[in-house]
């Protein structure tokens, strides 16, 4: 069975400071990893995804994530956050074979002016 | 290409009533997913279809929820009877193959049970 753990339910950070949102996963097969952002009362928007190849993945809005197979992690980073980044962020893991996609419980990023 | 279509966008019903949601995936996408997202939580997989067969329905409350995907194309999710705790956004997603990155969400149906 696969699972995703987002250790931090809320992350407050000052504007223009860097941020890291943590995501760890477990899976017995090869994985595909995703980060989604959800603004209040809106749908899920794909930030970035890792399918294969380079372990450093760049996404939209200046976000990037690094796939670390040995630590089974896929942490999301941004060097300088803006007020507009205030939202909830979800990590998800997908697996080959059955093509199942499992989501984490989410991390609320609050950017403080 | 057209995206994943869902309807209705919003639905308000009283508890014990029934409701149905419809999803039309992207053409050619063999895998279809239904998720339930309760306010403040992550999406929870209710059921996953591969063509018209069920791959995973382990988290589907089968006493009140049912889903079908006739002919391996569009799908319907039904709740009967609804409970207050079913208030959530119901999301449909479809995938050609995760390895190619083709995994797309619809805009969802927001259900309120009063």
């Amino acid at each position: 069975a696969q699972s995703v753990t987002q250790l931090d339910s809320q992350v407050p950070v000052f504007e223009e400071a860097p941020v890291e949102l943590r995501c760890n996963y477990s899976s017995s097969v090869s994985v595909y990893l995703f980060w989604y952002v959800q603004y209040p009362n809106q749908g899920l928007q794909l930030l970035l995804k890792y399918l294969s190849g380079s372990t450093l993945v760049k996404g939209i809005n200046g976000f990037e994530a690094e796939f670390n197979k040995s630590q089974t992690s896929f942490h999301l980073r941004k060097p300088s956050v803006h007020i507009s980044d205030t939202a909830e962020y979800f990590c998800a893991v997908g697996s080959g074979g059955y093509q199942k996609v499992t989501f984490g419980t989410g991390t609320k990023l609050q950017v403080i002016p | 290409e057209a995206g994943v279509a869902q309807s209705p966008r919003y639905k308000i019903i009283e508890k014990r009533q029934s409701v149905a949601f419809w999803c039309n995936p992207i053409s050619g996408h063999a895998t279809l997913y239904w998720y339930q997202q309760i306010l403040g939580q992550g999406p929870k997989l209710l059921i996953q279809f591969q063509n018209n067969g069920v791959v995973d329905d382990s988290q589907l409350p089968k006493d009140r929820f049912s889903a079908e995907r006739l002919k391996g194309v569009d799908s319907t999710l039904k709740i009967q009877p609804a409970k207050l705790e079913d208030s959530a956004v119901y999301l449909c997603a479809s995938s050609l193959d995760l390895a190619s990155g083709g995994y797309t969400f619809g805009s969802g149906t927001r259900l309120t049970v009063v």
Side-chain angles (χ1 to χ4, degrees):
Chain A
Q2 63 190 36
S3 65
V4 178
T5 301
Q6 293 183 248
L7 292 168
D8 306 304
S9 59
Q10 293 191 56
V11 173
V13 63
F14 286 103
E15 193 173 15
E16 297 183 5
V19 70
E20 178 180 84
L21 306 184
R22 296 181 292 168
C23 173
N24 289 87
Y25 69 91
S26 67
S27 176
S28 58
V29 297
S30 58
V31 296
Y32 312 106
L33 294 155
F34 308 85
W35 273 101
Y36 285 85
V37 61
Q38 188 170 41
Y39 299 100
N41 297 313
Q42 293 190 27
L44 292 163
Q45 181 181 4
L46 180 67
L47 272 178
L48 49 79
K49 58 190 175 189
Y50 170 80
L51 303 178
S52 65
S54 174
T55 57
L56 182 62
V57 180
K58 293 190 183 298
I60 62 171
N61 301 342
F63 283 93
E64 63 180 33
E66 185 157 19
F67 171 55
N68 188 319
K69 189 174 181 179
S70 62
Q71 296 189 7
T72 60
S73 68
F74 190 57
H75 300 332
L76 181 71
R77 301 186 183 98
K78 186 170 182 178
S80 176
V81 296
H82 300 127
I83 293 289
S84 59
D85 294 322
T86 295
E88 189 154 22
Y89 293 78
F90 294 97
C91 181
V93 61
S95 59
Y98 287 120
Q99 304 280 300
K100 184 174 180 177
V101 181
T102 303
F103 281 78
T105 51
T107 297
K108 288 186 174 66
L109 175 63
Q110 182 184 6
V111 180
I112 304 163
Chain B
E1 64 180 2
V4 176
Q6 287 190 249
S7 66
R9 286 298 309 276
Y10 305 93
K11 189 75 176 178
I12 301 174
I13 62 171
E14 295 183 350
K15 59 184 179 183
R16 292 188 289 273
Q17 285 187 324
S18 62
V19 64
F21 313 124
W22 174 81
C23 173
N24 190 23
I26 291 174
S27 177
H29 280 197
T31 308
L32 186 148
Y33 312 78
W34 282 104
Y35 290 89
Q36 178 193 58
Q37 187 179 19
I38 293 172
L39 186 65
Q41 300 182 20
K44 181 180 84 171
L45 180 67
L46 292 176
I47 188 166
Q48 178 184 338
F49 293 94
Q50 183 79 14
N51 295 308
N52 60 347
V54 176
V55 174
D56 185 346
D57 64 356
S58 57
Q59 297 195 88
L60 187 72
K62 298 181 186 62
D63 58 333
R64 299 184 299 107
F65 285 65
S66 64
E68 60 183 10
R69 191 185 184 195
L70 301 176
K71 301 181 182 178
V73 182
D74 56 350
S75 176
T76 303
L77 176 70
K78 296 178 181 177
I79 307 175
Q80 182 180 10
K83 294 184 174 182
L84 295 176
E85 59 261 37
D86 298 332
S87 294
V89 175
Y90 291 84
L91 296 161
C92 179
S94 71
S95 170
L96 174 63
D97 177 8
L98 290 179
S100 66
Y103 174 67
T104 306
F105 275 96
S107 52
T109 296
R110 183 179 297 275
L111 173 68
T112 302
V113 182
V114 298

